[in-house]
Each structure stands twice: as C-alpha cells, then as structure tokens.
Amino acid sequence: EKGGWSSFMAKEISEQPEAVANTLRTRIHDDHVVLPDLAGLEDSLAGIDRIVIIACGTASYAGMLGKYAIEKWARIPIEVQLSHEFRYSEPVLSPTTLVVSISQSGETMDTLMAVKYAIEAGAKTLSICNTQGATIARESDAVIYTHAGPEVAVASTKAFVAQIAALYLFGLHLAEVRGTLSAEATKEALGELSSIPGKLEQVLLTKERIQELAKWMSDSRAVLFLGRHVGYPVALEGALKLKELAYIHAEGFAAGELKHGPIALIEPGQPVFVVVPSPRDPNSLHAKVVSNIQEIRARGARILAIAEQGDAAVLPFADEVIPIPLAGALFEPLLAVVPLQIFAMELATAKGLDVDQPRNLAKSVTVE
Ligand code: M6R
C-alpha cells in the first residue's frame, strides 16, 4: 500500500498537492465558493456572531490559521481552543455561536466531548473532518469533508493542508454571506487557493536538500522554531512534528516573543528554524523577522530559514535558506510547513526510528 515509498508518511507528504486539489474540487464555481455541505446550517449562518474553533494537536494549528483568515475575510470574532481545555473554561456559548471542530479522524474523544458540550449549550456546530461518517461529523449540524484520502501515518501531514484549505473555503463563503469581502478580493483569494497544489509540487522538490540537512543535524539535542502571524502556527507544527517523530526537544515561538524570554535559550550552535514572511507582506513583518534573525545570529544561533524565493535580505544571515514559491500572506503556511514535515521525517529516519508509528502515540486518540 505504500506504493514504493519508504513510509506512509513519505507517501502522504507527497500526496499533499492532491489533498488540497481534491478538497477544493467542485467547491469553487465562477469565483464563488459553493458548499452544499453547509445545508444543515443554512438558516443560521447569517446570524452567527462568534466562532469558537476546537481541535487538538496539528488540527489545532490548522484552526489557528483558520482564525487569521476567517477573521480577516468575514470580520467575525474567533477564538481557538484546545478541545480538552474547552469545557473547563465554562465557555460562553449561545445559539449565535458557531463551534467549528477540526479532526482528521473525526473520532478524537477530547474533540467529540467538546462538540457534545457545545450542542448541549445550544451552540451551532460545524465539523471539518477527513473521515466519512465519523462520529464527530455525525454529531455536528454540518460537516465540510476534507478529501485528503486515508491518512495512515501517526503524524498528520496531508490532512493538515486539507484542513487549512477547507477552513479557507468556509471563510470565503462566510464572507460572502456577511458581505464583508469584495468580489475582487474573493476572486484573488480563490485564485491563490487554487494555485496551491502546483506550488506544493515545487516545494516537494526541496526534499533531497532537506534530507542532507536532517542527516547533518541528527544529533541535535534541541531545535527551536520561530514564526510570526501565520508563520507562528507553522513554527508550532514544525516543533510538534520533530518531537513526535524524532524525539527531539523542540519548541515553536512567536518571533515577537523572543525578547520576552526565549532568547535566553540561544547559545552558540543552537539550530533555529525561522519561517520568514514574504518581503511583500502587507503588515511589514518581514523586516521585523529579519531583525530577529540578526539578534539570534549575533548570539551564535544556526539559522535555517524558510523564505520566499528570491528573498535577498535573509541570505547574509542564514546558514541555510529553503525557498518556497511566492504566495499571498495567508497562503504561505500551506507551503512553508512542508519542508518542516520533511525535516522531521528525514531526521527520524536518520536516527533509525519508525516514522509511521512513533513510540507512545496512536493515530486516533479515542480516550480522554
Ligand atoms: O484525528 P484528529 O485530527 O482529531 O487528531 C488530532 C491530533 O491527535 C493529531 O493531529 C496529532 O497531533 C498528530 N499526531 C500530529 O501529527
């Protein structure tokens, strides 16, 4: 079933272009998002005044990305909560709250219990799910299926990019319902989304280079990941992948937080992955992240930058630059995450570990 690949994870990483393409397929028509999937919410969507996204692990990082995009497009307040924390904060929920759960398996007990709690509290529920007919999907008012295909490796990869694509489709649809985004901006965003599968193919070509890097770094004791805005969840995801696959201590930080503590960790030789925003970023975050790179470089950090192709400002300060194709700011994470997935997989492989079945973990966590 691995079809010539060394692991399911390697196969699933390579399937990411199709995972996104299949999730978008049939859902974009004439510059509009078409989601018959939302029929169960049809009457309530226009009246929703708040969204709470619940998920665990990698799915929660997709949720964070959903927040940036949906808030921007649909101008609705969103909070992202870990499913297992959600109930215990006595969340304020009402019939105008939409609780969006994200789960590849659709069977994660923590997320299922959170969805049930939301239903009992009278909130509306939408699930983003990769498994047809899963329990969470059945419990929810509506479900947007991601069509990533079965994900076998414990580490989530193609489901993650498909979840982002589904959340972005939902966000663009909601923006249309709420009248918050111009037709031109919607068209541009849909164009960006549709171009992701082709760009993912290009990012996959960096595999051999990352393999070399991973081999070279296989005795690392700790690796840090920095990102800002949408690069922040990517940093968290890069760190999670490295922990779960290569058993290396890894932390993701929001780059702006560095001087509030984490910079104390930087000592000569410390590897730091930095997800660099595009120099074209409308928020001008590029210069700030480049200055973070300079700060940690001055303290001896070894910089591994994931940066837009042709970003010359990063070159003088990075030990390694992994280029990603140009994309709109909100869409960069779909590309920037891939080198980090490959890095974790290759480093685990270099250490002789089982990348599909890391120790102590199960693919689907069906106990609380
Ligand atoms: O099936 P789910 O999407 O609900 O699973 C959520 C997490 O358990 C999952 O993403 C986990 O963090 C992965 N092992 C990460 O690679």
Coordinates of all heavy atoms in Angstrom, one line a residue, residues 56-59 103-105 108 154-156 240-241 244, ligand 1:
C56 N -7.4 19.4 18.5 CA -6.2 19.0 19.2 C -5.0 18.9 18.3 O -5.2 18.6 17.1 CB -6.3 17.6 19.9 SG -7.7 17.5 21.0
G57 N -3.8 19.1 18.8 CA -2.6 18.8 18.1 C -2.5 19.6 16.8 O -2.8 20.8 16.7
T58 N -2.1 18.9 15.7 CA -1.9 19.5 14.4 C -3.2 20.2 14.0 O -3.2 21.3 13.4 CB -1.4 18.5 13.4 OG1 -0.1 18.1 13.8 CG2 -1.5 18.9 12.0
A59 N -4.3 19.6 14.2 CA -5.6 20.2 13.8 C -5.8 21.5 14.5 O -6.4 22.4 13.9 CB -6.8 19.2 14.1
S103 N -11.0 17.8 12.9 CA -10.5 16.5 13.3 C -10.3 15.6 12.1 O -11.2 15.4 11.3 CB -11.4 15.7 14.3 OG -10.9 14.5 14.6
Q104 N -9.1 15.1 11.9 CA -8.8 14.2 10.7 C -9.6 13.0 10.9 O -10.4 12.6 10.0 CB -7.3 13.9 10.7 CG -6.8 13.1 9.5 CD -7.2 11.6 9.5 OE1 -7.7 11.1 8.5 NE2 -7.0 10.9 10.6
S105 N -9.5 12.3 12.1 CA -10.2 11.0 12.3 C -11.7 11.2 12.5 O -12.5 10.3 12.2 CB -9.6 10.4 13.5 OG -9.8 11.2 14.7
T108 N -11.6 11.7 17.7 CA -10.8 12.1 18.8 C -11.8 12.4 20.0 O -12.6 13.3 19.9 CB -10.0 13.4 18.4 OG1 -9.1 13.0 17.4 CG2 -9.2 13.9 19.6
V154 N 1.0 8.1 11.8 CA 0.5 8.8 13.0 C 0.7 10.3 12.9 O -0.2 11.1 13.3 CB 1.3 8.3 14.3 CG1 1.1 9.2 15.5 CG2 0.8 6.9 14.6
A155 N 1.8 10.8 12.3 CA 2.0 12.2 12.1 C 1.1 12.7 11.0 O 1.1 12.2 9.9 CB 3.5 12.5 11.8
S156 N 0.3 13.8 11.3 CA -0.6 14.3 10.4 C 0.1 15.2 9.4 O 0.9 16.1 9.8 CB -1.7 15.1 11.1 OG -2.7 15.5 10.2
L240 N 6.1 20.4 16.8 CA 5.4 19.2 17.1 C 5.9 17.9 16.3 O 6.0 16.9 16.8 CB 3.9 19.4 16.9 CG 3.0 18.2 17.3 CD1 3.1 17.7 18.7 CD2 1.5 18.5 16.9
K241 N 6.0 18.2 15.0 CA 6.5 17.1 14.1 C 7.8 16.5 14.6 O 8.0 15.3 14.7 CB 6.6 17.6 12.7 CG 5.3 17.7 12.0 CD 4.7 16.4 11.6 CE 3.2 16.5 11.3 NZ 2.4 16.7 12.5
E244 N 7.4 14.5 17.9 CA 6.7 13.2 17.8 C 7.5 12.2 17.0 O 7.4 11.0 17.3 CB 5.2 13.3 17.4 CG 4.9 13.8 16.1 CD 3.4 13.8 15.8 OE1 2.6 13.1 16.5 OE2 3.0 14.5 14.9
Ligands
M6R1 O1 -7.8 13.0 14.3 P1 -7.5 14.3 14.8 O2 -7.3 15.3 13.8 O3 -8.6 14.8 15.8 O4 -6.2 14.2 15.7 C1 -5.8 15.3 16.4 C2 -4.3 15.1 16.9 O5 -4.3 14.0 17.8 C3 -3.3 14.9 15.8 O6 -3.3 16.0 14.9 C4 -1.9 14.7 16.4 O7 -1.5 15.9 17.0 C5 -1.0 14.3 15.3 N1 -0.2 13.1 15.7 C6 0.0 15.3 14.9 O8 0.9 14.8 13.9

